[in-house]
Amino acid sequence: MGTIPEGVYAVQQAMHAAPPYAVAEAMRDAVTLHFGVEHVEVLLADYALVSLRPVLEELVPGVPGTLIDGTAAGRAFASQEPQREGRLLHLPVTACGERVGVLSLRLADPLLGAPTVEDLQEIASALGHDLRGADRITDRYQRVRRMARLTLAAEMQWELLPGSCHQGDGYRLAGQLEPAYAVYGDNFDWTCGPRWLSLSVTDGMGAGMEAALLTTLAITALRNARRSGAGLEEQAGLADEAIYGQYGGRLHVSTLLLHFDATTGEVSMVDAGSPRLLLMRNGKVRSVELEQQLPLGMFGHTTYTEQRLALEPGDRLVIASDGVYSSRSLGGTEFGGAPLEALVKSTRMQPADEAVRTMIRGLLDFRRGTEVLDDAVVVCFDWIPAPDDTRP
């Protein structure tokens, strides 16, 4: 057991021993047995990051659940800090930096001390990891998260994602798809290692299933090249050949490939007809001019070249697909200029995951009342080295 408190250890063991579809019940029973807790609920964020939906209590059809905006449970999710509401305690449920939901507890003693709250927060974190593992074996938690049925194209796109948030060694990363329940061609992917991160953001041509199948091929080809040890230029070239071989130039994929070195802050990039890249430094936002190269699959056998960008500690990169920057308001104003830069600037005090949620809400507000012609992806990356980090 080491230094793990007895109650925490007992709850963790109960969750580990439970079948995947019963992790939440096992946690509830163990927590009420070992802690002064009268009622337990697990709330999971829906795909659109609008509401928190209960696992243990069946939700009435048509009811969205607990809204994230304007509620104590929502503040725990958004801030990633415990929130008290009388006898209710709301704890963020997170796994590897990815926000999963909230653990809501009704306490027998409203004056519960800090050490016990810390124990319960450790349980909430363990729950996040167990739920992520359970998702590979049971559909229960995926179904809870859905306020509406996903289109088949959206199902494919969400299955491709590595996650929606990630806290790495010296950086934080988050992304979101919109419309969450009907996205088709936009996606992102990442992989990490010691002190580095590789990221791709893709925008497949077309709509519906055709765009989803195209993007699936592109991401799979990029992963295949990456996992074979290829660098960015070779990844782009091999994916270009794979897409051209399938579609003969009829369809193509706009892609931005990045590789970040957390030791030096250097970003290597390949722009293949890419989404828009913005840099926020010291509260000021500007577009990063990229060397424009052909989208993947346009001609085949295309040679791609890298370019580099030196980041400074505290820098934020925001990547937006054309469904973001090409959106227009009812008055005809394009979102991709001053409105987008102002929105990015407004997120300067928010962590990457909450910044992405803010940007998606801002996009929806901007184009309210207009016909949505394209799906969208927003990815936010922060370089946050520790002040005393001197590792080579």
Side-chain angles (χ1 to χ4, degrees):
M1 286 176 54
T3 60
I4 301 177
E6 183 177 350
V8 174
Y9 180 78
V11 177
Q12 289 177 344
Q13 291 300 105
M15 288 192 292
H16 295 339
Y21 51 81
V23 168
E25 284 82 1
M27 180 277 303
R28 175 198 62 196
D29 295 344
V31 164
T32 53
L33 178 64
H34 293 279
F35 293 87
V37 173
E38 296 179 344
H39 183 264
V40 176
E41 184 54 271
V42 179
L43 301 168
L44 302 182
D46 88 293
Y47 283 76
L49 299 180
V50 170
S51 72
L52 298 166
R53 301 175 57 77
V55 174
L56 296 170
E57 180 179 338
E58 187 173 353
L59 199 61
V60 177
V63 176
T66 301
L67 294 178
I68 293 176
D69 294 327
T71 65
R75 286 192 296 275
F77 177 81
S79 68
Q80 291 294 285
E81 296 289 341
Q83 300 289 320
R84 291 212 186 196
E85 187 182 23
R87 292 171 60 195
L88 292 177
L89 175 65
H90 306 287
L91 301 169
V93 175
T94 308
C96 299
E98 179 170 6
R99 301 185 297 181
V100 177
V102 173
L103 175 60
S104 291
L105 310 166
R106 187 172 70 236
L107 308 175
D109 179 7
L111 302 178
L112 200 65
T116 304
V117 173
E118 290 175 3
D119 288 350
L120 292 170
Q121 180 61 74
E122 190 168 342
I123 289 169
S125 297
L127 174 64
H129 287 274
D130 281 12
L131 290 175
R132 283 196 67 182
D135 272 342
R136 302 183 63 177
I137 304 172
T138 179
D139 287 341
R140 181 188 180 189
Y141 310 109
Q142 298 277 359
R143 293 179 66 184
V144 167
R145 293 179 58 208
R146 300 180 183 204
M147 287 201 299
R149 183 174 181 175
L150 270 67
T151 65
L152 181 55
E155 188 81 49
M156 293 174 64
Q157 296 299 62
W158 282 101
E159 284 298 307
L160 281 174
L161 294 180
S164 59
C165 316
H166 173 56
Q167 176 78 54
D169 192 5
Y171 61 87
R172 188 168 182 85
L173 177 68
Q176 177 66 10
L177 308 179
E178 174 59 35
Y181 292 86
V183 69
Y184 39 85
D186 289 1
N187 213 297
F188 54 86
D189 189 30
W190 62 64
T191 186
C192 62
R195 308 286 290 163
W196 60 263
L197 169 83
S198 285
L199 165 69
S200 65
V201 179
T202 54
D203 182 358
M205 182 180 174
M209 280 297 298
E210 185 175 56
L213 289 168
L214 173 62
T215 299
T216 298
L217 174 59
I219 290 178
T220 303
L222 289 168
R223 286 175 176 171
N224 179 254
R226 187 185 73 211
R227 292 167 181 171
S228 299
L232 295 186
E233 295 174 347
E234 189 178 2
Q235 288 175 38
L238 290 172
D240 173 64
E241 292 177 17
I243 297 167
Y244 185 81
Q246 181 66 31
Y247 294 101
R250 182 174 63 87
L251 298 176
H252 51 78
V253 181
S254 297
T255 305
L256 178 63
L257 302 176
L258 302 178
H259 183 86
F260 170 70
D261 185 329
T263 301
T264 65
E266 184 175 79
V267 180
S268 303
M269 301 174 289
V270 169
D271 169 12
S274 78
R276 194 72 54 84
L277 179 65
L278 298 113
L279 169 67
M280 181 162 65
R281 175 175 294 168
N282 299 323
K284 298 180 179 180
V285 180
R286 66 174 178 87
S287 293
V288 177
E289 297 300 324
L290 299 171
E291 179 186 345
Q292 296 183 354
Q293 300 178 76
L294 295 173
L296 303 180
M298 182 170 281
F299 295 110
H301 302 290
T302 305
T303 299
Y304 293 92
T305 57
E306 291 183 15
Q307 64 183 106
R308 288 175 171 76
L309 173 68
L311 295 185
E312 297 179 1
D315 279 356
R316 166 169 289 176
L317 290 177
V318 172
I319 306 164
S321 69
D322 64 353
V324 177
Y325 60 79
S326 295
S327 290
R328 292 184 178 273
S329 67
L330 272 175
T333 302
E334 191 170 86
F335 190 60
L340 177 57
E341 292 184 8
L343 183 60
V344 171
K345 187 175 181 179
S346 75
T347 69
R348 60 190 179 280
M349 301 302 293
Q350 296 178 334
D353 40 18
E354 189 60 15
V356 165
R357 204 169 75 88
T358 295
M359 284 185 266
I360 291 293
R361 290 202 312 269
L363 170 65
L364 295 178
D365 288 342
F366 181 84
R367 68 186 188 189
R368 192 179 305 278
T370 65
E371 181 182 2
V372 178
L373 300 176
D374 198 2
D375 53 349
V377 61
V378 174
V379 174
C380 182
F381 171 86
D382 292 340
W383 185 28
I384 46 173
D388 59 349
D389 189 353
T390 57
R391 283 175 293 176

